[in-house]
Amino acid sequence: NAGVTQTPKFRILKIGQSMTLQCTQDMNHNYMYWYRQDPGMGLKLIYYSVGAGITDKGEVPNGYNVSRSTTEDFPLRLELAAPSQTSVYFCASSTAGGGNQPQHFGDGTRLSIL
Amino acid sequence: AQSVTQLDSHVSVSEGTPVLLRCNYSSSYSPSLFWYVQHPNKGLQLLLKYTSAATLVKGINGFEAEFKKSETSFHLTKPSAHMSDAAEYFCVVSPFTGGGNKLTFGTGTQLKVEL
């Protein structure tokens, strides 16, 4: 019962460095999402994907990139890390679209940029 | 457009007393509504969902919520709080139609349960 798995759990980056946050799900869900969670702000959608090879921007996409080559994996790339990207990042997945489908979340990646 | 407002950022109750976490929503469509719970250093876990069927929705761990269209509210309740209920709770709205299943999150309510 792995569900949605995110790696790493914690990471400290220096300004200007790059990294990839990994996300994989074993539920054969078509839809996958990346969110960031800042204190007192709820979750904001960064990017989402409705299937392999298809991605689209969410509410706060600047500074990030994604790819979806398989159904299972949806990595998030930070090319030039900035202090404003210090946050907790959550990956989620759901079955086909339609607002009545709940999303399943990973445990998050806590990222600090110094 | 859709939005959700959680009326209390912090709620404190004594163990064994009722819990009420308040949520108001706004949506241009017939919405789906969810409550999620987040324990420290964990991801979000679904508590319950409303999807235009019964207006009183029962979830896990004894929680329930009532959809009131006239008041645009979806408040979360539990008759008797337990120490393990201490967590952050998010009210979430989604358009019932497709479009990538984009969720709009409230800013969260931190529930503290005291002995």
Side-chain angles (χ1 to χ4, degrees), chain A residues 4-108:
Chain A
V4 178
T5 302
Q6 293 183 237
T7 56
K9 293 188 184 303
F10 305 93
R11 184 73 183 269
I12 297 174
L13 282 181
K14 293 183 179 179
I15 295 171
Q17 287 186 319
S18 62
M19 78 163 293
T20 299
L21 282 65
Q22 302 291 347
C23 174
T24 187
Q25 52 93 7
D26 62 359
M27 297 173 284
N28 201 33
H29 285 169
N30 286 323
Y31 285 67
M32 295 187 74
Y33 314 82
W34 274 106
Y35 295 91
R36 59 178 288 171
Q37 183 181 31
D38 300 309
M41 299 291 289
L43 274 71
K44 301 291 185 183
L45 182 65
I46 304 172
Y47 271 95
Y48 68 100
S49 169
V50 302
I54 306 170
T55 63
D56 206 350
K57 296 177 180 179
E59 186 178 358
V60 290
N62 292 342
Y64 307 94
N65 280 299
V66 294
S67 59
R68 185 95 181 271
S69 57
T70 68
T71 299
E72 296 78 18
D73 300 309
F74 190 40
L76 177 72
R77 178 90 177 157
L78 282 70
E79 291 293 352
L80 289 170
S84 61
Q85 294 177 306
T86 293
S87 189
V88 183
Y89 291 85
F90 288 99
C91 179
S93 70
S94 68
T95 56
N100 61 346
Q101 301 301 320
Q103 294 182 12
H104 301 261
F105 288 81
D107 284 345

Side-chain angles (χ1 to χ4, degrees), chain B residues 10-86:
Chain B
H10 294 84
V11 170
S12 183
V13 301
S14 299
E15 190 174 34
T17 64
V19 175
L20 170 64
L21 305 183
R22 299 181 295 164
C23 173
N24 287 347
Y25 71 91
S26 170
S27 178
S28 302
Y29 308 93
S30 296
S32 293
L33 292 157
F34 306 85
W35 276 98
Y36 282 85
V37 61
Q38 184 181 28
H39 289 95
N41 299 316
K42 289 292 186 181
L44 279 70
Q45 179 187 13
L46 180 69
L47 273 180
L48 50 81
K49 68 177 184 179
Y50 165 78
T51 56
S52 78
T55 57
L56 183 62
V57 181
K58 295 187 183 299
I60 62 172
N61 300 334
F63 284 94
E64 62 182 38
E66 186 172 7
F67 175 73
K68 292 186 176 180
K69 186 174 181 179
S70 61
E71 298 176 10
T72 61
S73 69
F74 190 57
H75 301 335
L76 181 70
T77 61
K78 183 174 181 178
S80 176
H82 190 272
M83 293 297 289
S84 61
D85 294 328

